[in-house]
Amino acid sequence: MVFLPDESRSLPPPPLVNKGSVWLGLVGWMAALLDNGFNRRPVIRAGVHRQILFTTVGWFVGYYLVKRTEYIHAKLDRELFEYVRHHPEDFKAAG
């Protein structure tokens, strides 16, 4: 998969309730409410199934974006530590 390579499976998964999931879930719910408002339907009561769907989609998109971000940071850390290990003369202890 292009979004998350196979080597990302070695990382621990992020918690289900994280900042990205909560924010994008809220954005999905607000999008459903705005859709109701723009189409002159009762904002909260109409399309509850659509509100649940948009919230769920936002939640999972947020989860996978956090998972991808953690993979990118882990990959960068691995590359930097590998560079430091191969070039110890550039990183002498201060003292």
Side-chain angles (χ1 to χ4, degrees):
M1 184 177 187
V2 176
F3 187 68
L4 280 171
D6 288 337
E7 64 183 7
S8 69
R9 292 182 184 177
S10 65
L11 295 173
L16 281 177
V17 179
N18 59 53
K19 193 186 302 185
S21 295
V22 171
W23 276 107
L24 286 179
L26 183 64
V27 167
W29 183 60
M30 293 303 293
L33 295 181
L34 285 172
D35 181 53
N36 284 343
F38 289 144
N39 290 314
R40 297 179 183 254
R41 295 187 292 252
V43 176
I44 299 277
R45 293 180 305 161
V48 175
H49 63 285
R50 199 175 325 107
Q51 293 176 32
I52 293 170
L53 175 69
F54 283 21
T55 303
T56 304
V57 168
W59 191 276
F60 283 108
V61 167
Y63 176 79
Y64 281 103
L65 284 176
V66 167
K67 193 171 184 175
R68 177 156 173 83
T69 302
E70 287 183 0
Y71 164 71
I72 296 290
H73 290 149
K75 182 178 172 187
L76 181 63
D77 286 347
R78 183 185 66 211
E79 291 169 356
L80 288 173
F81 286 133
E82 192 67 22
Y83 181 82
V84 169
R85 190 171 69 83
H86 286 298
H87 299 90
E89 66 277 356
D90 294 339
F91 302 96
K92 294 181 181 174

